[in-house]
């Protein structure tokens, strides 16, 4: 279920958290599945302490629910939660693209448009653009260089990646998605902050 974790990891609980979060995202740990810290610790080759710490962190971002002395289980994403996540993701993405666009150097604009080209290529090749979109989002966060946003994004992005799997994204038509990202590329190249923010909002139907 979960591969062993190296005890040489500097922050073992962080590695356990990441491993468990990814297992929830890809449903290796299925929605509604009961979680037992002893079994999880054994499967990853660690003590119960980092597992318990990871479970508490997963609970804080809504991937796990815990009822003392009763159960710990993977949460089930309701339609209401998925829709609320989509709305939040739109405001989150559009605000970070605005911050990044205001601070981009010429080189960073080139790098950002190259990252968008990767998204477009995936869409045109009928491949999932999820990994390329997440890489682009990570780049935008780095360029935005806001310490507070960077701190909260570590856990927020995991919750978004999990919950957005359960909602249909507004731009589901491949041609519309390509057009949107091509427009975003032009806006970033021109340094048009308002246009970039508006385009990202439209991707989330805001």
């Amino acid at each position: 279920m979960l591969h062993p974790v190296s005890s040489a990891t500097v922050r073992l609980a962080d590695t356990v958290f990441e491993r468990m979060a990814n297992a929830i995202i890809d449903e290796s740990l299925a929605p509604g599945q009961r979680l037992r810290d002893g079994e999880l610790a054994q499967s990853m080759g660690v003590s119960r302490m980092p597992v318990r710490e990871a479970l508490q962190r997963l609970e804080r971002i809504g991937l796990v629910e815990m009822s003392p002395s009763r159960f710990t289980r993977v949460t089930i994403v309701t339609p209401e939660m998925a829709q609320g996540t989509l709305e939040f993701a739109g405001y989150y993405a559009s605000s970070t693209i605005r911050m990044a666009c205001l601070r981009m150097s010429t080189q960073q604009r080139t790098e950002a448009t190259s990252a968008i080209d990767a998204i477009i290529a995936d869409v045109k090749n009928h491949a999932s653009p999820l990994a390329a979109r997440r890489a682009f989002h990570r780049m935008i966060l780095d360029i935005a260089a806001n310490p507070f946003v960077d701190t909260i994004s570590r856990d927020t992005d995991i919750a978004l990646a999990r919950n957005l799997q359960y909602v249909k994204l507004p731009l589901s038509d491949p041609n519309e998605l390509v057009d949107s990202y091509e427009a975003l590329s032009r806006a970033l190249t021109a340094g048009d902050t308002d246009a970039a923010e508006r385009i990202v909002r439209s991707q989330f139907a805001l």
Side-chain angles (χ1 to χ4, degrees):
M1 181 171 60
L2 293 170
H3 299 297
V5 173
S6 171
S7 59
T9 304
V10 175
R11 265 290 282 158
L12 190 57
D14 289 344
T15 303
V16 171
F17 167 80
E18 183 178 346
R19 190 72 55 80
M20 291 178 63
N22 287 334
I24 292 172
I25 290 171
D26 68 20
E27 296 190 346
S28 297
L29 296 175
Q33 181 174 335
R34 296 286 184 106
L35 303 174
R36 295 174 176 81
D37 55 6
E39 293 177 1
L40 292 167
Q42 184 176 13
S43 67
M44 288 185 281
V46 298
S47 69
R48 291 190 179 190
M49 186 68 70
V51 171
R52 288 171 179 167
E53 186 176 335
L55 287 170
Q56 290 171 352
R57 188 173 165 190
L58 288 165
E59 182 188 30
R60 288 196 295 270
I61 61 174
L63 271 65
V64 162
E65 58 181 330
M66 303 172 74
S67 179
S69 302
R70 293 185 60 208
F71 61 79
T72 298
R73 65 189 176 198
V74 179
T75 55
I76 296 173
V77 179
T78 64
E80 293 78 15
M81 175 60 74
Q83 196 61 43
T85 302
L86 179 64
E87 181 182 24
F88 171 83
Y91 288 115
Y92 174 51
S94 58
S95 63
T96 52
I97 199 75
R98 183 173 190 86
M99 284 188 286
C101 192
L102 288 169
R103 298 168 183 171
M104 278 183 179
S105 65
T106 300
Q107 180 179 345
Q108 286 171 330
R109 293 187 195 283
T110 301
E111 292 170 352
T113 56
S114 294
I116 291 175
D117 287 343
I119 297 172
I120 293 172
D122 281 345
V123 175
K124 288 184 175 180
N125 292 326
H126 307 290
S128 171
L130 180 59
R133 291 181 78 167
R134 290 180 71 179
F136 174 69
H137 174 65
R138 185 69 255 174
M139 175 185 293
I140 292 303
L141 286 173
D142 290 342
I143 295 171
N146 183 301
F148 178 74
V149 174
D150 188 58
T151 297
I152 66 169
S153 72
R154 296 169 193 168
D155 288 355
T156 300
D157 288 357
I158 291 172
L160 290 175
R162 192 272 178 121
N163 293 355
L164 290 178
Q165 295 180 111
Y166 297 91
V167 64
K168 183 178 180 180
L169 297 178
L171 287 184
S172 56
D173 180 83
N175 293 327
E176 291 181 354
L177 190 58
V178 167
D179 288 346
S180 178
Y181 273 107
E182 287 178 343
L184 180 58
S185 181
R186 291 192 295 271
L188 293 179
T189 299
D192 191 336
T193 302
D194 291 338
E197 181 179 8
R198 184 171 60 252
I199 292 164
V200 171
R201 279 176 176 261
S202 71
Q203 292 177 350
F204 293 87
L206 293 179

